[in-house]
Amino acid sequence: MAETPVIHVLNGPNLNLLGVREPHIYGRDTLADVEQRCVKAAGGAEIVFRQTNHEGVLIDWIQEARESADALILNPAAYGHTSVALHDALKTLSIPVIELHLSNPAAREAFRHHSYVSSAATGVIAGFGANGYELAVQAALNLIRERP
């Protein structure tokens, strides 16, 4: 582990619309608000915070994390329910991976009940809204500290 831990926080499709897209489900915080929550929760660790609507870009960033991150937090959004490619990319990592969802997919439509990401993740945080990002950063820091 580097002296200053590096945590990549990657966000999938439509998360650029946080605060305006279905706020009754996803809350009123914008993605910029969420990024600030992550930076604050990191307490000096470096946060690399990104969002894309493109699956291939997300996969490229996951592959980049293999070399430059101590932990990965991924909110795959809808790709979590559809992308074997994300699963395969995550399986190449040897760092902790936290799957994150603002809402609780298990309490929503049936097609959201399965995640291809979960079986490649160290753990899952879901249903806590934007607070889930802070929980994920804290969990990532704990996992980094616990690594041999």
Side-chain angles (χ1 to χ4, degrees), residues 119-143:
S119 63
T122 307
V124 179
I125 296 174
F128 294 99
N131 292 326
Y133 280 86
E134 295 170 72
L135 295 170
V137 169
Q138 293 168 4
L141 288 169
N142 286 338
L143 290 167

Side-chain angles (χ1 to χ4, degrees), residues 3 9 13 25 29 37 67 83 91 96 100 102-103 121 139-140 145:
E3 283 185 36
V9 181
I25 295 174
D29 282 6
R37 284 174 175 256
E67 303 297 326
S83 181
K91 293 295 283 184
L100 172 66
L102 292 158
S103 67
R145 285 187 202 108

